[in-house]
Amino acid sequence: MDDFIAARSQMALSLGFHIVFSCIGMVMPFFMAVAHYYWLTTKEIRYKNVTKAWSQGVAIFFATGAVSGTVLSFELGLLWPQFMKQAGPIFGMPFSLEGTAFFIEAIALGFFLYGWDRFNPWFHWVTGVIVGVSGLVSGILVVAANAWMNSPAGFDYVDGQYLNIDPIKAMFNDAWFSQALHMSLAAFVATGFAVAGVHAFMILKNKNKQFHTTAFKIAASFGCVAALLQPLSGDISAKDVARRQPAKLAAMEAHFHTEKGASLLIGGIPDSKTKQVNYALKIPGLLSFMVHGDTKAEVKGLDQIPVENQPPVAITHYAFQIMVGLGMLMMALSGLYFIALWKKKQWLSSSWLLTLFAAATPLGFLAVEAGWTVTEVGRQPWIIQGVMRTADAVTPMPGIAYSFYLYTGVYLSLALVVSFMLYRQIRMVGTLYDLPAHASQLKK
């Protein structure tokens, strides 16, 4: 493995690991706040139990996310020094503000975790809400920085120099809204389905059904609403990509040839040598309609992109298909859930629906990982779209491959530790909150 591929692989590993904890940190506090609100308004002990259990999970993920996020910030400077030298003064503002949001989140989480029976109940609830809001803002700010890489703005690039820098314009670039909306909804989908799936599994195991049913309904409601809204944000993002990054769209769709009335491909195996896609289901005119609102409009293909500027087609296409396919599956499950909620309430306790949710536990995060693959691989060979190539930004320091192997071992170890802690936490929840003695103590 050469140093360039090792640097990209290490960054991909770090991002892929961190994004899971980022999504949970952005969303889980809102679940916690809803359960806490129900406790304050109804005084039903099950809501307090759920709130306390979830807050412990939030603390675990917050600590892990803080560590993995700190590593990422160092990696940007260590692996991509030329990128940070040129880009740091331009898009540094969202990272600075993200640090402030993270600081507020840490303080609010401390207040919430240690504020039981010490603060005014509603002030205590507000601290939990602040944890969620600051976490969401933190995620949006990081996405804004990534959006700048896809849609650079806030500077003039003249003779290799970055002039007339405007950090505000850089932060609110053309891509920030569509990416922030899409990523925020994805975080709610992924976390909602993951949490609902875990609680559905515990219900199937007949573990403290009242507790897990309460938690399941809150998480599933968030996840299913977001899953039904996600295609709208996906449409906004796709139209934005078609306008700013036609090479990425062409790779996503394996669209080799510029044509009018372009077909939408479902599945298929792209062959970059023959410029064909084999075994795909084609829907005539649909790609043109989705991009331009006209079934006969022309869609730019890879044949109009210089070969040296084309992204890897197969990886981008497969990742895009996985993201969309998993999203459609979760949409279908969301439809079933709301039918159950409004018309077929007996379905809510049926083993088949709970089994579907348990099976869907990892789908949201798999879709998130696939989506980030599309975003990053689809931008190649650029680290700053149209301005700086990834190969020109990498560190000249040798031996990056060994760093990649080391980080792989560290992240695998951390994943095992976190998984063990969560497993133990779930087992404790299944017994602790099922004991009347503990329930009576929690009422105090």
Side-chain angles (χ1 to χ4, degrees), residues 26-201:
M26 290 167 64
V27 172
M28 196 73 183
F30 289 104
F31 298 179
M32 183 179 72
V34 169
H36 195 186
Y37 175 82
Y38 282 136
W39 155 246
L40 292 176
T41 54
T42 67
K43 294 303 179 183
E44 293 186 33
I45 194 65
R46 57 193 173 109
Y47 290 117
K48 186 174 185 180
N49 292 344
V50 170
T51 305
K52 284 200 165 188
W54 277 348
S55 68
Q56 293 169 16
V58 168
I60 293 171
F61 285 114
F62 178 83
T64 311
V67 172
S68 58
T70 302
V71 170
L72 270 173
S73 65
F74 284 116
E75 284 181 332
L76 281 172
L78 291 172
L79 299 178
W80 312 102
Q82 290 302 315
F83 168 68
M84 292 305 295
K85 177 182 177 181
Q86 305 296 339
I90 305 172
F91 82 145
M93 179 172 286
F95 279 129
S96 299
L97 294 176
E98 190 273 338
T100 302
F102 177 81
F103 182 66
I104 294 172
E105 182 182 6
I107 294 173
L109 181 60
F111 280 174
F112 186 83
L113 291 175
Y114 299 103
W116 289 99
D117 304 319
R118 292 180 175 87
F119 295 141
N120 173 279
W122 285 104
F123 174 78
H124 185 217
W125 176 77
V126 168
T127 63
V129 174
I130 292 174
V131 173
V133 172
S134 55
L136 185 61
V137 170
S138 179
I140 289 173
L141 287 167
V142 171
V143 171
N146 178 266
W148 179 84
M149 297 164 68
N150 291 310
S151 179
F155 65 96
D156 294 324
Y157 188 65
V158 181
D159 296 329
Q161 299 294 318
Y162 297 80
L163 306 174
N164 303 322
I165 293 173
D166 184 346
I168 299 297
K169 188 176 180 181
M171 183 166 66
F172 296 107
N173 55 78
D174 290 343
W176 85 270
F177 176 75
S178 61
Q179 281 197 212
L181 177 63
H182 196 59
M183 185 63 229
S184 297
L185 286 173
F188 275 95
V189 174
T191 307
F193 272 84
V195 175
V198 169
H199 289 291
F201 178 76

Side-chain angles (χ1 to χ4, degrees), residues 360-382:
T361 299
L363 297 189
F365 285 112
L366 292 175
V368 167
E369 299 287 4
W372 270 100
T373 300
V374 172
T375 299
E376 296 303 299
V377 177
R379 190 181 60 246
Q380 299 307 311
W382 306 101

Side-chain angles (χ1 to χ4, degrees), residues 71-353:
V71 170
L72 270 173
S73 65
F74 284 116
E75 284 181 332
L76 281 172
L78 291 172
L79 299 178
W80 312 102
Q82 290 302 315
F83 168 68
M84 292 305 295
K85 177 182 177 181
Q86 305 296 339
I90 305 172
F91 82 145
M93 179 172 286
F95 279 129
S96 299
L97 294 176
E98 190 273 338
T100 302
F102 177 81
F103 182 66
I104 294 172
E105 182 182 6
I107 294 173
L109 181 60
F111 280 174
F112 186 83
L113 291 175
Y114 299 103
W116 289 99
D117 304 319
R118 292 180 175 87
F119 295 141
N120 173 279
W122 285 104
F123 174 78
H124 185 217
W125 176 77
V126 168
T127 63
V129 174
I130 292 174
V131 173
V133 172
S134 55
L136 185 61
V137 170
S138 179
I140 289 173
L141 287 167
V142 171
V143 171
N146 178 266
W148 179 84
M149 297 164 68
N150 291 310
S151 179
F155 65 96
D156 294 324
Y157 188 65
V158 181
D159 296 329
Q161 299 294 318
Y162 297 80
L163 306 174
N164 303 322
I165 293 173
D166 184 346
I168 299 297
K169 188 176 180 181
M171 183 166 66
F172 296 107
N173 55 78
D174 290 343
W176 85 270
F177 176 75
S178 61
Q179 281 197 212
L181 177 63
H182 196 59
M183 185 63 229
S184 297
L185 286 173
F188 275 95
V189 174
T191 307
F193 272 84
V195 175
V198 169
H199 289 291
F201 178 76
M202 298 302 289
I203 296 170
L204 290 169
K205 297 282 286 184
N206 202 28
K207 301 286 187 179
N208 195 358
K209 280 192 172 183
Q210 185 186 54
F211 171 87
H212 289 293
T213 299
T214 301
F216 168 79
K217 287 181 178 179
I218 295 173
S221 296
F222 271 102
C224 290
V225 169
L228 294 175
L229 293 175
Q230 187 71 306
L232 300 177
S233 72
D235 181 65
I236 294 171
S237 294
K239 286 181 169 59
D240 181 62
V241 168
R243 178 174 58 84
R244 294 181 300 94
Q245 295 175 292
K248 179 185 285 188
L249 179 74
M252 288 161 54
E253 300 290 350
H255 187 59
F256 288 104
H257 306 287
T258 300
E259 61 179 331
K260 294 181 179 179
S263 300
L264 180 72
L265 302 183
I266 299 177
I269 301 175
D271 187 336
S272 296
K273 292 183 179 179
T274 63
K275 311 298 182 186
Q276 299 293 327
V277 182
N278 303 311
Y279 313 113
L281 174 63
K282 297 183 179 181
I283 304 178
L286 187 55
L287 181 59
S288 293
F289 178 78
M290 292 176 69
V291 173
H292 299 294
D294 181 356
T295 58
K296 297 182 179 180
E298 183 177 271
V299 178
K300 188 175 182 180
L302 287 166
D303 56 357
Q304 291 194 21
I305 308 296
V307 174
E308 65 272 16
N309 292 340
Q310 293 181 10
V313 176
I315 295 175
T316 308
H317 178 68
Y318 294 145
F320 181 68
Q321 293 288 311
I322 290 170
M323 179 186 70
V324 173
L326 294 178
M328 296 299 290
L329 286 175
M330 289 183 286
M331 277 186 64
L333 185 51
S334 299
L336 288 175
Y337 176 73
F338 284 116
I339 290 173
L341 208 58
W342 294 329
K343 297 291 185 180
K344 302 284 186 178
K345 292 191 181 296
Q346 68 272 20
W347 287 5
L348 293 173
S349 57
S350 64
S351 59
W352 66 267
L353 184 64

Side-chain angles (χ1 to χ4, degrees), residues 420-438:
F420 171 74
M421 291 177 66
L422 289 175
Y423 173 74
R424 195 174 75 165
Q425 175 68 18
I426 292 169
R427 287 198 63 183
M428 287 175 61
V429 164
T431 56
L432 174 63
Y433 296 121
D434 204 21
L435 299 176
H438 286 286

